[in-house]
Amino acid sequence: MAAIETYPDELKYHAEHDWARIEDGEAVLGITWFAQDSLGELVHFEPPEPGATILKDEPYGEVESVKAVSDLISPLSGEVVEVNQKAVEAPETVNEDPYGEGWLVRIRLSDPGEADSLLGVAAYKQILEEQ
Amino acid sequence: MKLIYEKSKPGRRASSLPQPGLPPAEVPEELRRSSPPRLPEISEPELVRHFTALADRTFGVDTGFYPLGSCTMKHNPRVNERVVGLPGFRDLHPLQEEDASQGALELMWRLQEILAEVVGLPAVSLQPAAGSQGELTGLLLMRAYFADRGEGHERREIVIPDTAHGTNPASVTMAGYEAVGVKTDFRGNVDLDDLREKVGPQTAGLMLTNPSTLGLFDEGIEEITKIFHEAGALMYYDGANLNAICGIARPGDFGFDIVHFNLHKTFSQPHGGGGPGGGPIAVRERLEPFLPVPAVVREGDAFRLDYERPKTIGKVRGFCGPFGVFVRSYAYIRSYGPALKEMSEVAVLNANYLLARLRDAYELPFDRHCMHEFVLSGRRLKREHGVTTLDVAKRLMDYRFHPPTIYFPLIVPEALMIEPTETEPKETLDAFADAMLAIAREAAEHSELLKEAPHVRPVKRLDEVRAAKRPILRYLFGEHDEPEGSDEPRELEAQKGA
Amino acid sequence: MSFLSLTEQDREQMLETIGVDSIDELFEQIPSGVRLGRPLELERALSEPELVAHLSELAARNVDTGREVSFLGAGIYDHYVPAVVDAVLARGEFLTAYTPYQPEMSQGLLQAIFEYQTAICELTRMDVSNASGYDGTTVAADACYVAKHATGRTKVVLAETLNPQVRQVVKTYAPGFGLEVIEVPQREGTIDPDELRQAATDAACVIFQQPNFFGCLEPAPDLAAAANDAEALAVAHVDPVSLGVLEAPGAYGCALAIGEGQAAGNYQSYGGPHYGFLAARSEFIRRMPGRISGETVDIDGKRGFVLTLQTREQHIRREKATSNITTNQTLLALAGLVHLSWLGPQGLRELGETCLALSRYAKERLSDAGFELVFPERATFKEFAVRVGRPAREAIREALAAGVHPGYALGRDYAGLDDAVLVAVTEKRTTDEIDLLAEVLAA
């Protein structure tokens, strides 16, 4: 049911197991394969409101499995433009396709320079080794 | 098995009530019940059968071994049930005149004196309804104490180890404080270096369980006490693990200022499927003025309720607390007297025996003698055979044991927390150890037995994911689906990890 | 007397397996500086017969409701507890089981909790109930916590006619919750909805009681409407055995319904243990404190029950939990379920009607005997306040000497009522007993 373990090369990563896909001053955010595997099948996604401001390294929402709840830590700062309703209505989508259909929010970046401090796939995989 | 509502039939009734033969009195129309509640309509024979069937599908300490860590599932003496049912206790109204309640007041006073002696702190309140409420009461006492000294503003933080029960940080939030975590070292003790960095003038206190949830007595307790008292902070003792040290060491003597008891753990109040419990607290002299009101006091030969307590934090529960729980705990303690020490010694002996029998087949994260409980890790089984602690727990059910606590404390991966208690016979401990060893072998040779466990309970493994995603929290009458076993097995929605 | 099972031989074998010579070695991890080093100063152990004799002697010095004609209420009531409740609670499986975190071991308990939740939802006409809170006072604090997080507001409004102990407990919890508590005064025994509406501006919730502490019937639908007008949550604190004849909070606009469950199935037991109930509309499901049993299926598709939405609770959510509650009052709530099932809808209605009829009879007899009702214009349920023409405490003492307890002295909690007694009349009282009450008070 869940995806096989992958970490796409073209994404940027955050040590708290979140990814960002950056395009034209906006970023799509989600959680990595490792995060969804640790939590187990998700039963609930508590998103921010569209229009809300979220900040780099701060929590912007929550995901829950049966036995655990986890803050979603934002890799970047910005304004929430869109929330993925599919993730809200069928949270298991995040387990099945964490980088595609299981995206969580799209934001307009307030400081595109922040992307420089994010990790590339090799650096993120290094962190996973150390878990 | 059907719900009681599914056995209901219009017109059936178990109850009979007196008929005073008076003209009916009516409620004003706008306040009148418009449609009756859909309570079950059943006869007494059906009622008794229904609850008997439910009891048959429930496993208690009376049924078998129940080694849940930090829960202290000891045998609940039957004489306690007899005395709590005496009409002088059972049918006594809490607002009865004090002169007509002397037996109840004396019992509470004596229990207070006993609890004070057990932990070495002089002032006791029996009021909190459970351990969590005792915790909250203790934290509110800290608030009141520091406010009284003009230090309320600065002292905003409570230090809690990473092995703490979840109730500790939850209580901290409810008391309006902030929780600051401190790490545990490789010996299973609080990391003193980390602690020194976290304690200062902003600290109101520490919440510590000792022995910890790892079942280990903190070897640095004297140093910990020094650090907090030098900072002018208070020390709170979570008494969940008191069963390990009664008559051997007293939290009041090793530096704690506030202690809560769990009467439903250490002092045999039956767990009742989740409650009731009792969470009395004992405090140092200087915190006594802030205790909840009323206080139970002795005046010569009489016992009274004292409401004149100007510095009290107020009330945390109705009346004097859960009195029926006091009766049982008092009777229990009077059955042991000073031999409470032997109770703790045997609790520790039983736990160390199981540890010795299981340490090779499972992983022991902290290589020390334990106290009344110990923690194993199922990590090796997961790595080598792909079976989790959850699978081990479910398979134990097939061996007719209640599983131990799993996935707690959080710092041990694939944790199994085992507390046998002192009332278990050696044969039971051996049977449990044999089962755990058998399961470790099965993990290597027949792992599907574990993954599909349990096999012999009234239900097979239950789908908790579905329960969370599609909450059905009451019977929906006409709209309720009635799955009563289907012919084809269902694919369980995947459950992973903890 | 002890409850240990090990023999001397067992102990020796176990010590050998562990690899130590004595139990003392196992305690070496406790620094010697903190050891007690002496026996506990407790009285010697009692054998079982001695224990029963001692407890019986203590019990005999209490005057329970079997030994006098009691009209004492004020939140705890002398209602009849049927024999089936005792029979069910004596089952060792229910008595000695733990919280059902391992559902396959506890289906009976989980189903019973689910049935209890259903019963509370039926009584209150709410969508979700928890598995119980500590008592009728702490569930009010719980309701304030829910309201604070649901509305973001930090003020709560309490009716003065809400039980004084409930108000006191809310005020004890309030500073830690960061809440300001406002009280709305009683006007001739009830609350004025317009006054309430004013007070409820910027409030997270309003808590009123039905019937109230004086036994009077509040204009509950108007009070709920007043709270809703101010966008505060309307919370009704209700008597479970009144809900066969009184309208359910869910039917008149309340967000939450709470109360003390004792009157439904528990002995008085000097104030506890009992159970508090808390039920809410479905929008508050994720904010509910306490455990909840939910329905699901097993791998064969068979119906079963589990504790669900556990991520609200302390063992998972820790400092952000909806409550710190862990141990609750399950066994007492089970007693409530058995009692309500024994009653059934007909029995519950009849119970309410009997209380209404008997208490009206009592009001009439006392009025005939020359006593003045404190709130003569108000409809009441099973309790009412009456002036006894002298300090209530005196009247009570005199009546007790004649074997009758007339009720609660209201002067303890309310100004201007030093001569007033709160008289409770349950289905256990007879017209003869009520006649005796009037006689004894008039003497």
Side-chain angles (χ1 to χ4, degrees):
Chain A
M1 132 119 9
I4 41 169
E5 184 170 9
T6 58
Y7 304 100
D9 291 332
E10 73 277 11
L11 300 178
K12 291 293 201 185
Y13 295 87
H14 186 283
E16 292 289 342
H17 312 296
D18 308 89
W19 54 264
R21 178 179 289 119
I22 303 171
E23 263 164 12
D24 302 327
E26 288 188 348
V28 176
L29 308 178
I31 63 173
T32 67
W33 186 93
F34 178 83
Q36 65 79 31
D37 183 62
S38 308
L39 285 165
E41 179 170 340
L42 296 190
V43 300
H44 187 69
F45 165 40
E46 190 70 38
E49 294 285 318
T53 303
I54 66 180
L55 298 172
K56 176 170 158 43
D57 301 330
E58 293 294 315
Y60 68 89
E62 279 177 358
V63 281
E64 287 178 25
S65 64
V66 168
K67 300 290 191 197
V69 65
S70 186
D71 281 332
L72 296 161
I73 305 298
S74 187
L76 299 162
S77 308
E79 184 191 315
V80 177
V81 170
E82 196 186 341
V83 169
N84 182 3
Q85 282 311 312
K86 186 149 191 218
V88 172
E89 284 153 24
E92 69 275 14
T93 313
V94 178
N95 300 97
E96 288 161 7
D97 188 11
Y99 308 106
E101 298 271 303
W103 65 276
L104 297 178
V105 296
R106 188 156 57 83
I107 62 172
R108 164 149 295 122
L109 297 176
S110 55
D111 180 5
E114 285 173 339
D116 297 338
S117 63
L118 293 179
L119 305 165
V121 63
Y124 177 65
K125 279 185 177 171
Q126 182 74 6
I127 289 187
L128 292 180
E129 300 278 311
E130 291 155 14
Q131 286 288 323
Chain B
M1 185 182 154
K2 289 191 172 197
L3 292 165
I4 197 169
Y5 303 95
E6 293 168 322
K7 298 177 179 176
S8 190
K9 220 169 174 181
R12 259 207 296 245
R13 180 176 159 175
S15 57
S16 59
L17 295 168
Q19 311 279 339
L22 294 169
E26 294 230 307
V27 168
E29 204 181 326
E30 69 277 12
L31 301 177
R32 213 174 284 168
R33 184 93 192 189
S34 49
S35 61
R38 290 168 294 188
L39 295 174
E41 295 184 81
I42 49 168
S43 65
E44 183 173 313
E46 294 175 296
L47 187 80
V48 171
R49 286 214 175 126
H50 179 78
F51 286 98
T52 302
L54 292 179
D56 284 345
R57 292 156 82 98
T58 300
F59 186 100
V61 175
D62 278 7
T63 317
F65 189 49
Y66 218 120
L68 290 175
S70 276
C71 295
T72 313
M73 304 297 293
K74 63 174 74 185
H75 169 73
N76 304 123
R78 281 309 183 268
V79 64
N80 297 350
E81 299 310 308
R82 179 183 285 187
V83 296
V84 84
L86 292 167
F89 295 138
R90 192 193 69 177
D91 298 330
L92 185 64
H93 192 290
L95 297 170
Q96 176 59 291
E97 299 292 296
E98 286 176 21
D99 288 336
S101 323
Q102 286 295 295
L105 292 170
E106 181 173 340
L107 188 149
M108 290 194 293
W109 185 85
R110 284 178 178 241
L111 182 60
Q112 287 174 179
E113 296 288 295
I114 288 169
L115 294 178
E117 168 64 5
V118 168
V119 295
L121 288 169
V124 176
S125 171
L126 302 177
Q127 204 178 95
S132 299
Q133 216 193 25
E135 288 175 23
L136 181 62
T137 306
L139 291 166
L140 292 177
L141 286 174
M142 283 192 199
R143 261 184 89 111
Y145 172 79
F146 286 120
D148 194 52
R149 293 163 65 91
E151 293 170 45
H153 262 5
E154 304 92 78
R155 299 197 183 265
R156 313 267 355 119
E157 293 180 0
I158 302 283
V159 176
I160 310 183
D162 52 14
T163 52
H165 293 113
T167 54
N168 291 171
S171 301
V172 164
T173 306
M174 286 174 78
Y177 279 121
E178 222 180 280
V180 171
V182 65
K183 303 208 249 299
T184 299
D185 71 14
F186 69 97
R187 285 277 300 167
N189 300 317
V190 166
D191 183 329
L192 291 172
D193 292 326
D194 193 31
L195 186 65
R196 283 190 197 92
E197 282 176 31
K198 307 244 163 109
V199 179
Q202 77 284 7
T203 307
L206 167 74
M207 283 181 93
L208 190 71
T209 311
N210 195 22
S212 68
T213 57
L214 296 166
L216 304 170
F217 195 92
D218 200 307
E219 294 162 322
I221 189 64
E222 288 165 308
E223 182 60 26
I224 293 173
T225 302
K226 209 153 148 273
I227 292 170
F228 277 88
H229 286 160
E230 272 170 13
L234 294 170
M235 301 235 313
Y236 178 96
Y237 180 84
D238 179 331
N241 290 336
L242 195 60
N243 207 49
I245 59 167
C246 286
I248 294 154
R250 307 193 306 174
D253 296 338
F254 52 83
F256 286 90
D257 304 298
I258 311 173
V259 169
H260 90 255
F261 301 83
N262 294 72
L263 297 182
H264 46 294
K265 295 185 181 185
T266 322
F267 298 118
S268 91
Q269 162 64 34
H271 284 84
I281 53 173
V283 303
R284 244 177 237 300
E285 200 75 60
R286 61 177 185 268
L287 291 160
E288 196 265 350
F290 308 99
L291 285 175
V293 71
V296 180
V297 298
R298 181 174 195 161
E299 285 170 12
D301 286 332
F303 300 90
R304 301 255 163 259
L305 294 173
D306 178 14
Y307 288 90
E308 298 309 308
R309 307 197 42 96
K311 290 192 172 179
T312 177
I313 57 170
K315 224 169 170 19
V316 295
R317 191 210 174 277
F319 310 106
C320 297
F323 180 76
V325 177
F326 308 153
V327 175
R328 293 186 182 91
S329 290
Y330 177 72
Y332 181 75
I333 294 169
R334 295 303 314 266
S335 305
Y336 271 92
L340 282 178
K341 181 178 182 197
E342 198 184 355
M343 170 191 86
S344 290
E345 287 175 338
V346 175
V348 169
L349 176 64
N350 279 358
N352 276 285
Y353 178 69
L354 273 184
L355 190 164
R357 287 214 52 199
L358 294 174
R359 58 180 298 157
D360 293 327
Y362 294 83
E363 222 180 282
L364 185 65
F366 298 96
D367 193 0
R368 285 169 57 176
H369 287 138
C370 63
M371 299 237 72
H372 66 312
E373 66 188 2
F374 61 99
V375 180
L376 298 171
S377 172
R379 186 167 48 175
R380 194 196 310 152
L381 292 181
K382 187 174 184 190
R383 244 189 343 246
E384 293 173 10
H385 310 295
V387 300
T388 63
T389 282
L390 182 74
D391 298 324
V392 170
K394 301 299 182 190
R395 182 65 178 145
L396 268 168
M397 298 178 186
D398 291 335
Y399 285 84
R400 320 261 185 229
F401 296 111
H402 192 286
T405 302
I406 54 175
Y407 297 106
F408 186 83
L410 302 173
I411 64 168
V412 175
E414 300 294 317
L416 287 142
M417 182 165 60
I418 296 171
E419 180 186 354
T421 85
E422 72 282 3
T423 55
E424 294 301 326
K426 181 172 179 290
E427 303 88 289
T428 304
L429 301 177
D430 283 326
F432 176 75
D434 292 342
M436 288 287 283
L437 295 173
I439 292 172
R441 282 193 300 273
E442 286 174 353
E445 294 156 22
H446 301 290
S447 64
E448 72 290 348
L449 277 176
L450 280 74
K451 292 188 187 224
E452 292 162 12
H455 305 277
V456 307
R457 297 300 305 165
V459 292
K460 300 237 178 106
R461 200 177 293 200
L462 288 160
D463 191 346
E464 300 195 29
V465 171
R466 176 178 163 134
K469 275 162 66 165
R470 294 193 255 165
I472 301 169
L473 309 176
R474 62 185 169 101
Y475 182 63
L476 299 168
F477 296 91
E479 294 143 32
H480 204 89
D481 290 330
E482 293 182 36
E484 190 52 55
S486 60
D487 294 320
E488 329 140 51
R490 242 185 106 259
E491 195 78 291
L492 191 64
E493 298 192 41
Q495 290 184 68
K496 291 223 218 116
Chain C
M1 168 166 58
S2 84
F3 301 94
L4 308 178
S5 306
L6 297 185
T7 64
E8 259 322 302
Q9 190 179 47
D10 290 333
R11 291 185 199 213
E12 274 164 31
Q13 282 172 359
M14 290 162 74
L15 288 171
E16 205 185 303
T17 304
I18 297 167
V20 295
D21 293 323
S22 69
I23 290 184
D24 285 340
E25 274 183 63
L26 300 173
F27 285 94
E28 275 165 8
Q29 58 189 289
I30 299 185
S32 54
V34 304
R35 305 264 188 105
L36 178 58
R38 60 162 174 82
L40 286 170
E41 274 163 31
L42 298 175
E43 293 184 70
R44 68 162 180 88
L46 295 177
S47 67
E48 189 169 319
E50 290 170 311
L51 183 69
V52 174
H54 171 53
L55 271 294
S56 300
E57 192 278 324
L58 288 171
R61 280 191 274 134
N62 300 323
V63 179
D64 59 80
T65 52
R67 290 171 55 187
E68 63 184 15
V69 178
S70 179
F71 293 89
L72 196 44
I76 297 294
Y77 300 96
D78 185 21
H79 283 289
Y80 179 69
V81 178
V84 286
V85 168
D86 297 342
V88 171
L89 261 58
R91 279 295 291 247
E93 298 92 335
F94 290 134
L95 184 69
T96 67
Y98 187 65
T99 303
Y101 290 121
Q102 291 289 358
E104 300 87 1
M105 300 300 280
S106 313
Q107 281 301 287
L109 207 44
L110 284 160
Q111 181 173 330
I113 295 170
F114 184 84
E115 293 174 356
Y116 161 83
Q117 289 166 190
T118 304
I120 297 295
C121 288
E122 281 301 303
L123 285 182
T124 58
R125 286 193 52 189
M126 289 290 174
D127 301 317
V128 58
S129 162
N130 69 11
S132 70
Y134 302 132
D135 72 351
T137 65
T138 55
V139 287
D142 289 336
C144 292
Y145 206 60
V146 171
K148 176 190 169 176
H149 291 289
T151 64
R153 295 174 170 185
T154 57
K155 179 172 111 175
V156 298
V157 176
L158 307 180
E160 200 200 356
T161 49
L162 177 62
N163 184 313
Q165 290 195 45
V166 175
R167 286 182 280 137
Q168 199 176 10
V169 168
V170 170
K171 288 175 191 168
T172 304
Y173 275 72
F177 287 3
L179 293 175
E180 186 201 346
V181 181
I182 308 287
E183 279 191 17
V184 174
Q186 59 98 1
R187 303 289 180 211
E188 280 159 53
T190 58
I191 300 295
D192 176 65
D194 290 324
E195 251 187 281
L196 186 69
R197 186 177 291 106
Q198 291 268 45
T201 323
D202 298 327
C205 65
V206 164
I207 308 182
F208 60 87
Q209 184 175 324
Q210 179 74 312
N212 69 25
F213 188 68
F214 297 134
C216 298
L217 296 184
E218 296 277 8
D222 296 330
L223 298 181
N228 290 326
D229 287 345
E231 290 176 11
L233 299 187
V235 180
H237 191 290
V238 290
D239 178 349
V241 301
S242 71
L243 292 170
V245 296
L246 291 184
E247 184 57 288
Y252 56 80
C254 290
L256 285 104
I258 60 178
E260 170 58 61
Q262 180 270 329
N266 295 170
Y267 293 102
Q268 294 164 90
S269 193
Y270 204 57
H274 299 133
Y275 63 103
F277 58 88
L278 188 150
R281 287 201 308 253
S282 56
E283 71 214 64
F284 301 105
I285 282 181
R286 299 203 101 81
R287 302 201 183 278
M288 290 284 283
R291 289 193 280 287
I292 301 182
S293 173
E295 188 180 303
T296 184
V297 294
D298 75 357
I299 53 181
D300 286 347
K302 206 162 165 198
R303 179 167 68 192
F305 300 91
V306 294
L307 292 178
T308 192
L309 302 176
Q310 289 187 60
T311 47
R312 296 163 300 117
E313 297 185 66
Q314 53 77 23
H315 55 295
I316 296 178
R317 217 180 198 93
R318 300 175 71 91
E319 55 280 345
K320 294 205 253 175
T322 55
S323 168
N324 67 350
I325 191 169
T326 311
T327 294
N328 61 2
Q329 306 294 121
T330 299
L331 195 67
L332 289 310
L334 176 63
L337 170 66
V338 175
H339 185 239
L340 291 168
S341 303
W342 179 79
L343 280 173
Q346 304 242 60
L348 182 69
R349 198 195 66 239
E350 210 176 282
L351 176 57
E353 288 169 350
T354 301
C355 289
L356 281 164
L358 280 170
S359 62
R360 184 182 64 186
Y361 180 81
K363 287 205 278 195
E364 286 166 359
R365 290 294 289 109
L366 289 169
S367 298
D368 292 344
F371 298 106
E372 195 196 310
L373 295 175
V374 180
F375 308 114
E377 303 303 309
R378 298 293 182 228
T380 54
F381 175 53
K382 71 194 188 196
E383 267 180 307
F384 57 91
V386 65
R387 293 192 191 274
V388 292
R390 54 205 189 291
R393 314 244 39 189
E394 229 176 79
I396 290 171
R397 260 198 307 277
E398 285 163 17
L400 284 175
V404 177
H405 196 315
Y408 180 68
L410 282 166
R412 282 257 297 265
D413 305 303
Y414 296 91
L417 291 179
D418 286 338
D419 61 337
V421 171
L422 184 64
V423 178
V425 187
T426 70
E427 78 285 11
K428 279 177 74 177
R429 301 284 75 82
T430 64
T431 50
D432 285 347
E433 285 175 340
I434 294 168
D435 294 340
L436 178 62
L437 171 68
E439 217 178 284
V440 160
L441 283 176

